[in-house]
Amino acid sequence: QVQLVESGGGLVQAGGSLRLSCAASGRTFSNYHMAWFRQVPGKRRGFVATIGSGGSTAYADFVKGRFTISRDNTKNTVYLQMNSLEPDDTAVYYCAATQAFYGSRVSTDYRSWGQGTQVTVSS
């Protein structure tokens, strides 16, 4: 199982940008399909984006071209570049990893999770 640590969250004004990072350690990172989810208090953790072990990507509809997921297997890191941020993007963002479920948007398919990083977008 891989261990994940997110970073890069913070406070930003609407229209601004942030880049989240997720550093992985443990097993072979390149074999894992990775994803970002987000959660606000009182709501279920929701899918944001995923990137397969081969680099293919998929996004939630609400992203609307504003976010980009990428990975650097030489650094064992996955990124989420977030542009044109909106107050509704305020949430705790979690990185997740799975070997078995390519392209999954379902949180229960992911066995490894980071601790989360807070993103707050002010209006």
Side-chain angles (χ1 to χ4, degrees), residues 26-44:
R27 300 292 183 88
T28 306
F29 174 73
S30 60
N31 292 341
Y32 284 80
H33 313 303
M34 304 297 295
W36 288 94
F37 288 77
R38 69 185 190 182
Q39 189 171 24
V40 297
K43 293 190 176 181
R44 299 178 66 176

Side-chain angles (χ1 to χ4, degrees), residues 4-88:
L4 305 173
V5 178
E6 301 99 335
S7 62
L11 173 64
V12 64
Q13 289 187 331
S17 299
L18 283 174
R19 187 176 82 155
L20 306 183
S21 300
C22 173
S25 61
R27 300 292 183 88
T28 306
F29 174 73
S30 60
N31 292 341
Y32 284 80
H33 313 303
M34 304 297 295
W36 288 94
F37 288 77
R38 69 185 190 182
Q39 189 171 24
V40 297
K43 293 190 176 181
R44 299 178 66 176
R45 198 167 292 187
F47 170 77
V48 176
T50 184
I51 184 166
S53 59
S56 58
T57 60
Y59 297 91
D61 289 343
F62 69 80
V63 168
K64 298 177 183 177
R66 299 180 298 130
F67 296 177
T68 302
I69 189 171
S70 62
R71 66 190 299 160
D72 185 341
N73 290 339
T74 66
K75 296 182 179 179
N76 284 7
T77 301
V78 63
Y79 304 98
L80 184 68
Q81 176 67 45
M82 304 187 294
N83 300 326
S84 302
L85 283 162
E86 304 167 354
D88 284 349

Side-chain angles (χ1 to χ4, degrees), residues 1-3 25-28 32 97 99 110-113:
Q1 201 166 358
V2 67
Q3 289 76 47
S25 61
R27 300 292 183 88
T28 306
Y32 284 80
Q99 286 187 292
Y110 291 82
R111 291 191 63 186
S112 298
W113 291 86

